[in-house]
Amino acid sequence: MIPIHSVTSDEYPHSLRGAAILANNQIESHENRPDKPEEACGVFGIYAPEQDVAKMTYFGLYALQHRGQESAGIATFEGTHVHLHKDMGLVSQVFNETILEELPGELAVGHTRYSTTGSSRKVNAQPAVVETRLGLLALAHNGNLVNTVPLREELLKSNFNLVTSTDSEMIAYAIAQEVNTGLDWLEGSIRAFKRCEGAFSLVIGTADGVMGVRDPNGIRPLVIGTLDSDPIRYVLASETCGLDIIGAEYLRDVEPGELVWITEAGLASFHWSPQPERKLCIFEMIYFARPDSLMHNETLYSYRMRLGRRIAKESPVNADIVFGVPDSGIPAAIGFSQASGIPYGEGLIKNRYVGRTFIQPTQTMRELGLRMKLNPLKDVLAGKRVIIVDDSIVRGTTSRKLVKTLRESGAEEVHMRISSPPVTHPCFYGIDTDTQDQLIAATKSVAEIAKQLEVDSLAYLSWEGMLEETREDTNSFCSACFTGDYPVAIPEQVKRSKLILEKVVV
């Protein structure tokens, strides 16, 4: 057996134990969940024998923290020896200097998680490490498979001991199964990927090197960076912000249906899918990815500003001030201001030191309106006609509370503009959305939503406008959450779990 050294505690840190128990018991109500699609995951990989790869992975994950806040993990390879640490919590809570010093090696893979398949439990934290004929592999996954049921059955029939409830572990064991037939890392991995359906951007560590992989549609992002070193060393990350923090230069994206193999010899590319068709998740551009990350040779901040300009032209309204819901609505609000001539200002202040809380407020606090994350600037709002810009509405619960807060602060009129179309369908590719009946736009018209939110007017960006402002081929994006047109077929068993209603036409 190849040795593995884990420095993961067997117990939850004291400060996280209550959160973990709550997550395991799944008692958090819809009312207290954020009114947004929950993030995907963040993955990071590096091959740099001369560097402190654990510390560089830590900082890479720190930059990708917005993609998942439930657990974090790093696996390093020191020859054939694997050092692993993963636990529940934020990257800065899971790791410290002492722990990072116990993770030596030439290469590393890391993960920060929001659960999509598999609940929020320590056993489901990644990287997933499994043993193969060629040694251990450590896998970090962003995305979601849609054929988990048959794949799990295949693996169980082969007597693999699945210890988690994640599809990520299944991908790792599928690779092990193929490698154990006598194939090498590349051949075995490619054969395993062809058994996987859905969304997967992967970073995989082995004693021989690091792989970066995207599914044939490239639904979730994955980029390659280079370190200024001799020889050149390579880094993989979900977004370019994960490269910037360690001084790596963006080289290019991993292409849909591509496997890159990073070893001492450098970077090699293998196009393993015969018919790749790019379908990047449009919500990555609208909301998930950090505004300073690059996509299509520009920051997403620029794209989001264009969305604001577009909706200002599509749905104009007279007002005294326009502002965004911090932080994700701000670029679009600035764009709206630029196109409309209405002054941009700040109407809400965000407490940036608030994470998820598992302490429930008292009934009195609820009645008064607990303002943990956003607080209004009453003197800015009083007597004003205001336009508030946000990137999306999912259930509408937070938006309604926000509108009520603005009115209580003296706003004379409240107009809401959303820089994406109505979300009418759930995601099956790595975003945690509610079942369809919980999506407000799936059951109500825009006029009905406006009435429920108690706004003076409500307008969404058009689907065509959202795609045209990418300035890319509009067919190269997945926008199924707005249309119900899923690029990868969803098995009926999976579809029934979320897709409750007939196809919605808005």
Side-chain angles (χ1 to χ4, degrees):
M1 178 177 176
I2 307 298
I4 177 171
H5 168 229
S6 173
V7 291
T8 305
S9 167
D10 289 334
E11 298 293 331
Y12 293 106
H14 179 75
S15 61
L16 298 174
R17 196 169 297 137
I21 292 169
L22 179 61
N24 289 346
N25 292 331
Q26 298 179 327
I27 61 175
E28 191 178 11
S29 70
H30 280 296
E31 186 71 16
N32 297 315
R33 290 179 59 192
D35 190 18
K36 294 283 185 183
E38 298 286 9
E39 284 86 344
C41 299
V43 298
F44 186 91
I46 181 170
Y47 183 94
E50 307 83 8
Q51 305 280 352
D52 186 340
V53 292
K55 190 165 286 187
M56 297 184 86
T57 303
Y58 167 85
F59 284 111
L61 294 179
Y62 194 88
L64 298 170
Q65 183 73 86
H66 60 286
R67 299 186 66 86
Q69 298 88 47
E70 293 187 357
S71 65
I74 295 173
T76 62
F77 283 74
E78 185 183 24
T80 59
H81 196 101
V82 174
H83 303 271
L84 173 68
H85 181 74
K86 55 184 179 179
D87 218 326
M88 304 300 293
L90 302 176
V91 175
S92 59
Q93 295 171 313
V94 172
F95 296 97
N96 57 39
E97 289 277 1
T98 301
I99 291 171
L100 291 172
E101 287 173 1
E102 295 180 34
L103 300 173
E106 300 83 37
L107 60 94
V109 299
H111 189 267
T112 184
R113 183 171 192 260
Y114 178 83
S115 59
T116 50
T117 295
S119 61
S120 178
R121 297 185 297 143
K122 179 179 170 184
V123 70
N124 288 334
Q126 295 184 40
V129 177
V130 303
E131 190 171 6
T132 79
R133 178 183 64 86
L134 298 176
L136 294 168
L137 72 83
L139 179 145
H141 174 209
N142 175 203
N144 211 45
L145 300 187
V146 298
N147 67 326
T148 51
V149 174
L151 183 58
R152 184 177 182 85
E153 289 175 352
E154 290 174 15
L155 294 169
L156 290 174
K157 286 178 182 177
S158 298
N159 296 318
F160 282 101
N161 182 26
L162 301 180
V163 296
T164 79
S165 57
T166 69
D167 53 355
S168 309
E169 183 191 36
M170 295 182 211
I171 301 173
Y173 273 120
I175 295 172
Q177 187 176 43
E178 299 295 349
V179 166
N180 290 349
T181 66
L183 301 177
D184 63 20
W185 284 124
L186 294 175
E187 293 172 328
S189 297
I190 289 171
R191 187 174 290 184
F193 301 148
K194 290 180 179 179
R195 296 165 59 188
C196 299
E197 299 172 13
F200 50 96
S201 285
L202 307 170
V203 174
I204 303 169
T206 75
D208 297 323
V210 177
M211 293 182 213
V213 185
R214 286 177 84 189
D215 65 77
N217 294 116
I219 294 173
R220 298 278 152 238
L222 189 63
V223 299
I224 308 168
T226 59
L227 294 171
D228 184 16
S229 58
D230 186 16
I232 294 174
R233 299 305 190 187
Y234 295 91
V235 183
L236 298 164
S238 291
E239 300 175 33
T240 60
C241 63
L243 306 178
D244 297 338
I245 195 170
I246 61 168
E249 289 290 324
Y250 169 67
L251 178 64
R252 65 175 178 87
D253 289 7
V254 177
E255 296 175 10
E258 182 186 18
L259 182 159
V260 294
W261 180 230
I262 302 168
T263 64
E264 186 61 30
L267 184 146
S269 170
F270 303 87
H271 292 270
W272 59 271
S273 174
Q275 292 182 313
E277 183 182 6
R278 182 182 185 270
K279 291 289 182 181
L280 176 69
C281 171
I282 193 67
F283 241 115
E284 290 281 359
M285 298 187 63
I286 294 168
Y287 171 65
F288 290 126
R290 259 177 42 171
D292 54 327
S293 285
L294 288 173
M295 288 189 183
H296 313 121
N297 299 312
E298 67 172 358
T299 64
L300 291 175
Y301 185 90
S302 298
Y303 170 65
R304 292 168 188 174
M305 283 182 63
R306 288 201 299 275
L307 296 181
R309 295 190 196 110
R310 181 71 174 242
I311 196 171
K313 294 174 182 176
E314 291 183 356
S315 303
V317 62
N318 291 322
D320 302 308
I321 184 174
V322 57
F323 56 90
V325 177
D327 289 312
S328 57
I330 290 175
I334 293 172
F336 192 105
S337 172
Q338 292 173 343
S340 65
I342 298 170
Y344 171 81
E346 287 197 40
L348 296 164
I349 297 300
K350 181 177 181 180
N351 180 357
R352 290 176 171 81
Y353 299 95
V354 173
R356 291 183 77 178
T357 176
F358 294 89
I359 306 302
Q360 299 304 308
T362 65
Q363 184 60 32
T364 302
M365 287 177 173
R366 287 195 190 96
E367 290 170 356
L368 293 174
L370 183 63
R371 296 171 185 167
M372 290 189 64
K373 292 188 178 182
L374 296 173
N375 208 34
L377 293 169
K378 295 182 179 180
D379 56 339
V380 173
L381 300 168
K384 300 287 179 56
R385 301 169 298 167
V386 306
I387 301 169
I388 183 167
V389 180
D390 205 355
D391 56 80
S392 61
I393 300 175
V394 179
R395 291 179 298 279
T397 50
T398 301
S399 298
R400 184 175 181 178
K401 291 177 184 177
L402 198 52
V403 171
K404 182 181 179 182
T405 297
L406 298 178
R407 292 201 185 280
E408 290 173 346
S409 300
E412 187 176 299
E413 296 177 11
V414 179
H415 303 274
M416 184 169 281
R417 295 295 180 266
I418 306 301
S419 60
S420 65
V423 177
T424 56
H425 289 74
C427 178
F428 296 93
Y429 306 134
I431 297 172
D432 185 24
T433 53
D434 288 293
T435 54
Q436 195 176 22
D437 61 335
Q438 294 293 321
L439 305 176
I440 191 170
T443 58
K444 290 179 170 59
S445 67
V446 174
E448 289 170 332
I449 297 170
K451 184 177 180 180
Q452 180 165 321
L453 300 185
E454 299 181 345
V455 291
D456 292 280
S457 74
L458 169 67
Y460 290 84
L461 181 67
S462 68
W463 178 76
E464 294 83 3
M466 171 189 69
L467 292 175
E468 288 172 6
E469 293 301 334
T470 64
R471 298 177 179 173
E472 296 288 321
D473 178 1
T474 57
N475 293 316
S476 64
F477 297 95
C478 174
S479 58
C481 52
F482 306 117
T483 65
D485 294 324
Y486 296 97
V488 181
I490 311 298
E492 283 301 318
Q493 185 175 2
V494 177
K495 188 184 294 186
R496 285 195 299 270
S497 69
K498 283 187 176 181
L499 202 58
I500 301 173
L501 309 173
E502 294 296 321
K503 188 166 182 177
V504 178
V505 179
V506 178

